[in-house]
Amino acid sequence: MLRSFTSKRSLQSLLHHHRGRQNPQFPIFSPRPFSSSPGQSSSDAELRKYLGYTLLLLGSGVATYYSFPFSEDARDKKAQLFRYAPLPDDLHTVTNWSGTHEVRTRTFLQPESIEELEKVVKEANVKKQKIRPVGSGLSPNGIGLTRAGMVNLALMDKVLNVDKEKKRVTVQAGIRVQQLVDEIKEYGITLQNFASIREQQIGGIVQVGAHGTGARLPPIDEQVISMKLVTPAKGTIEISKEKDPELFYLARCGLGGLGVVAEVTLQCVERMELVEHTFLSNMKDIKKNHKKFLSENKHVKYLHIPYTDAVVVVTCNPISKLRGPPKHKPKYTTEEALQHVRDLYRESLKKYRGQVADSGSPDEPDIDTLSFTELRDKLLAMDPLEKEHVIKVNKAEAEYWRKSEGYRVGWSDEILGFDCGGHQWVSETCFPAGKLSKPSMKDLEYIEELMQLIEKESVPAPAPIEQRWTACTKSRMSPAYSSADNDIFSWVGIIMYLPTMDARQRKQITEEFFHYRHMAQAQLWDHYSAFEHWAKIEVPKDKEELASLQARLKKKFPVDAYNQARKELDPNLILSNNMLEKLFPSSEAV
């Protein structure tokens, strides 16, 4: 049975302003000839006075009606004169994880089996009703959203088969990453790599070309051995490198536009314990050791801190069978590492107390219970666009990482995560960085130019700027695609947090972020052949900028082949949305 999706209502109410109309109960007074009669003048004056009182009372009543706050359960109701008009009960609000994109739709379907999914897709195709595939909504750009209608596979979340010998697992595409690794760990296997967050559905994380880090490890789509697509025109098809390899390598990172991914077979690896080593470095030392870091570590990433020379290095490797886990006692406890951040928070609270109080923030929680990312959010919320304040927060973050240096041991599915913080805007680019045997060092040059740009333009850029690496993939629509076997790619993400729910402040942060992103694009992207992660690309509103983006995408990706496949598999574009249609306009549309 299909289940409809129950969503929270929007936080905004839609108000319709009422214009006053002439009321036939009241006469319309036109200028009268001057009269010297005191009685007549007095009578007119009295009438005008009481008429004025009446209009004043009516106006006050209307003003009070429209300014009085709605109750909690009426936030989503339209205000019309003297009555509430509730929105339809079947109108669902779907918001992405970052809170940056939101749509309302009457069609949000959740089939429980592949048979139900096939029926849904077939009926939608006949009616030409859009049902865009959407996963967990973790993509910062809302690539899976459309108000016309969506289909979600959260109820198709089973492990279908485990081949322990070949280390392969077949799953329904709606299963979440964390659920999957929890269910297969009893077989001694796990996924080869992980993104920062574990709440993605497998179908979604594959389709957008998500990735972890490690110069020998490809993006997650490369782990796909075969997949079942439910297509509008051809029904359910199974594809692999043996069965229709051309379509397989196109659809493996297909952005949900070639079919609804129903089942996926993944190549896993042996589950093993890793040693995570975190330490603070600087760009001078990074340059000396960069090739070594990439080649000698299974997983490595850098966290660059704007307006400082600090670079946090995080490496992860299997525990040595000879030496065992490192015997290292950290110099500082977690409490000691956080103390200076708490001190900065208290100091900043005194400075900004009036502004914080005016913003209507709730009573302050016990800051001793907050994590570093929670403290950072609260610090940035005080003045997120004031450069000097952001620099103080960044320096506090660098000091926090210095005091957090040390080792951590755990299973790969526990270690390879990262607390990204709260709501945020992100732009992540991917660009070639040479070969594993001979890195080009372009990845570090990119960062140096980016840091210079930030300082030159006084961008209130918070930390961190996260830099990761992957091997290449054969998926043709991936930014890390290469026909060579040993090419490596660097992924760099810039960020601005949205630590407040104040609409005006979020709008200001959004405008500043897109200015930041535009400057990085203008100075760096073409020079380094950088392309944005599909889950983080934003469609320009300006027609010239959009045309320029479309031209760039055609140089990198097989857009014509992708559009031809869409035409064959989804001729009515029921799996598409506004983003796909703008990024990949058909030749007819052009």
Side-chain angles (χ1 to χ4, degrees):
M1 178 182 69
L2 296 181
R3 301 184 189 174
S4 62
F5 179 72
T6 304
S7 308
K8 64 178 182 180
R9 292 296 183 181
S10 169
L11 299 180
Q12 296 181 343
S13 299
L14 305 175
L15 298 180
H16 295 278
H17 296 285
H18 175 74
R19 294 186 177 181
R21 299 177 179 175
Q22 294 177 353
N23 192 324
Q25 294 181 0
F26 296 112
I28 300 178
F29 290 88
S30 57
R32 300 180 57 144
F34 174 78
S35 169
S36 60
S37 169
Q40 187 180 27
S41 176
S42 175
S43 176
D44 288 348
E46 287 291 311
L47 186 58
R48 287 195 295 270
K49 180 174 74 173
Y50 287 114
L51 177 60
Y53 286 155
T54 301
L55 293 174
L56 179 62
L57 286 172
L58 285 173
S60 298
V62 171
T64 301
Y65 174 83
Y66 280 110
S67 62
F68 196 83
F70 290 161
S71 63
E72 184 69 16
D73 60 358
R75 287 184 303 185
D76 222 21
K77 295 180 178 179
K78 297 179 181 178
Q80 297 182 2
L81 193 58
F82 302 124
R83 69 185 182 91
Y84 285 124
L87 292 174
D89 291 335
D90 62 347
L91 191 64
H92 309 295
T93 300
V94 185
T95 306
N96 72 334
W97 173 76
S98 292
T100 53
H101 293 269
E102 178 180 284
V103 297
R104 287 173 174 164
T105 181
R106 283 187 172 88
T107 305
F108 194 99
L109 304 175
Q110 291 187 304
E112 296 186 27
S113 67
I114 192 168
E115 291 78 17
E116 288 186 4
L117 175 59
E118 289 169 339
K119 182 179 178 181
V120 163
V121 173
K122 183 177 180 179
E123 290 180 353
N125 190 47
V126 170
K127 297 176 182 177
K128 298 184 179 180
Q129 162 69 49
K130 286 191 182 294
I131 48 166
R132 173 73 175 149
V134 61
S136 304
L138 289 173
S139 297
N141 61 358
I143 191 172
L145 305 182
T146 179
R147 68 178 61 188
M150 289 169 278
V151 60
N152 175 273
L153 303 191
L155 303 179
M156 292 175 60
D157 62 349
K158 297 180 178 62
V159 174
L160 300 175
N161 183 60
V162 178
D163 187 330
K164 185 176 179 181
E165 184 178 342
K166 292 184 178 179
K167 299 183 178 62
R168 292 181 179 178
V169 58
T170 301
V171 299
Q172 292 180 315
I175 193 169
R176 293 178 185 251
V177 171
Q178 189 63 59
Q179 179 187 348
L180 169 58
V181 297
D182 286 345
E183 290 196 29
I184 63 175
K185 64 184 179 183
E186 64 180 279
Y187 298 95
I189 61 176
T190 192
L191 297 182
Q192 186 181 53
N193 214 339
F194 298 90
S196 298
I197 304 171
R198 306 291 164 76
E199 294 306 308
Q200 302 100 326
Q201 291 179 12
I202 286 295
I205 198 172
V206 167
Q207 284 289 283
V208 297
H211 62 96
T213 189
R216 286 191 177 88
L217 305 173
I220 295 170
D221 55 89
E222 187 69 15
Q223 298 173 50
V224 177
I225 300 300
S226 65
M227 56 200 296
K228 280 187 181 179
L229 291 180
V230 179
T231 70
K234 296 187 177 182
T236 300
I237 59 175
E238 185 169 359
I239 54 176
S240 65
K241 62 181 179 179
E242 291 81 23
K243 297 180 183 178
D244 200 345
E246 184 175 349
L247 179 58
F248 174 67
Y249 288 119
L250 192 64
R252 199 162 57 169
C253 179
L255 311 180
L258 302 181
V260 183
V261 180
E263 295 179 9
V264 181
T265 298
L266 298 160
Q267 180 64 59
C268 297
V269 296
E270 180 183 349
R271 189 169 185 253
M272 61 182 66
E273 285 188 295
L274 299 179
V275 178
E276 178 188 79
H277 183 201
T278 301
F279 59 96
L280 197 66
S281 187
N282 56 63
M283 188 56 82
K284 182 179 179 181
D285 288 342
I286 289 291
K287 286 182 177 180
K288 292 180 182 177
N289 296 288
H290 183 53
K291 294 180 181 180
K292 178 181 177 182
F293 287 155
L294 291 184
S295 62
E296 295 186 2
N297 293 289
K298 185 172 184 180
H299 307 273
V300 62
K301 66 181 175 184
Y302 300 159
L303 305 177
H304 302 275
I305 314 294
Y307 293 104
T308 76
D309 192 36
V311 183
V312 184
V313 181
V314 184
T315 64
C316 289
N317 292 290
I319 294 178
S320 171
K321 293 182 179 180
L322 294 176
R323 297 189 297 271
K327 297 176 177 61
H328 177 273
K329 185 177 180 180
K331 188 174 181 180
Y332 299 93
T333 66
T334 301
E335 290 298 304
E336 290 171 332
L338 282 171
Q339 190 55 51
H340 72 283
V341 187
R342 294 168 180 158
D343 292 342
L344 176 61
Y345 177 76
R346 293 188 178 96
E347 174 189 324
S348 300
L349 192 61
K350 291 179 182 178
K351 177 180 177 180
Y352 292 103
R353 182 174 295 275
Q355 296 181 25
V356 172
D358 290 344
S359 70
S361 61
D363 294 335
E364 293 300 322
D366 182 0
I367 65 171
D368 291 338
T369 65
L370 300 181
S371 67
F372 169 73
T373 55
E374 291 170 329
L375 282 168
R376 180 179 61 198
D377 270 2
K378 295 186 74 62
L379 275 164
L380 290 172
M382 295 179 186
D383 206 345
L385 298 179
E386 209 287 307
K387 186 188 77 171
E388 296 306 320
H389 177 65
V390 173
I391 290 175
K392 286 184 179 180
V393 178
N394 287 356
K395 289 181 177 179
E397 177 156 354
E399 180 66 7
Y400 165 77
W401 287 113
R402 185 184 71 81
K403 292 181 177 178
S404 299
E405 290 182 333
Y407 295 86
R408 185 165 66 113
V409 177
W411 296 100
S412 59
D413 48 37
E414 300 167 348
I415 289 285
L416 296 175
F418 183 66
D419 186 352
C420 300
H423 287 183
Q424 57 198 244
W425 281 107
V426 185
S427 173
E428 185 179 28
T429 54
C430 173
F431 55 94
K435 299 183 181 299
L436 183 59
S437 58
K438 190 177 180 180
S440 66
M441 303 299 283
K442 289 287 186 181
D443 41 10
L444 298 187
E445 292 175 17
Y446 185 102
I447 292 295
E448 286 186 311
E449 284 198 48
L450 178 59
M451 291 297 193
Q452 291 168 7
L453 176 66
I454 289 170
E455 296 191 15
K456 178 183 176 182
E457 300 295 335
S458 296
V459 179
I465 293 174
E466 188 175 5
Q467 185 171 32
R468 294 180 282 176
W469 291 265
T470 67
C472 62
T473 173
K474 301 303 181 187
S475 299
R476 297 178 64 197
M477 291 296 290
S478 170
Y481 166 78
S482 174
S483 58
D485 291 330
N486 57 353
D487 285 351
I488 61 173
F489 289 80
S490 182
W491 303 72
V492 175
I494 61 173
I495 193 169
M496 273 195 177
Y497 300 98
L498 294 162
T500 170
M501 292 307 296
D502 179 80
R504 178 186 57 82
Q505 196 172 45
R506 286 174 76 96
K507 183 175 182 293
Q508 292 173 342
I509 296 170
T510 297
E511 290 173 351
E512 183 64 31
F513 170 77
F514 277 94
H515 177 59
Y516 177 19
R517 173 185 172 276
H518 179 75
M519 288 190 294
Q521 174 184 351
Q523 181 159 321
L524 299 172
W525 292 7
D526 283 340
H527 180 66
Y528 288 92
S529 299
F531 291 85
E532 280 188 295
H533 191 314
W534 290 121
K536 291 152 190 174
I537 193 171
E538 296 287 344
V539 177
K541 295 180 180 179
D542 181 81
K543 289 184 179 180
E544 291 186 4
E545 290 183 15
L546 177 58
S548 176
L549 173 59
Q550 291 168 347
R552 287 191 86 242
L553 295 178
K554 287 200 73 169
K555 291 180 181 178
K556 169 69 175 177
F557 302 103
V559 172
D560 290 339
Y562 182 71
N563 280 339
Q564 181 61 34
R566 291 170 72 200
K567 186 176 180 180
E568 293 175 4
L569 300 173
D570 182 21
N572 294 318
L573 297 179
I574 68 165
L575 305 179
S576 186
N577 63 357
N578 184 63
M579 174 177 286
L580 259 62
E581 289 167 23
K582 286 188 177 295
L583 294 179
F584 310 113
S586 64
S587 56
E588 291 88 346
V590 174

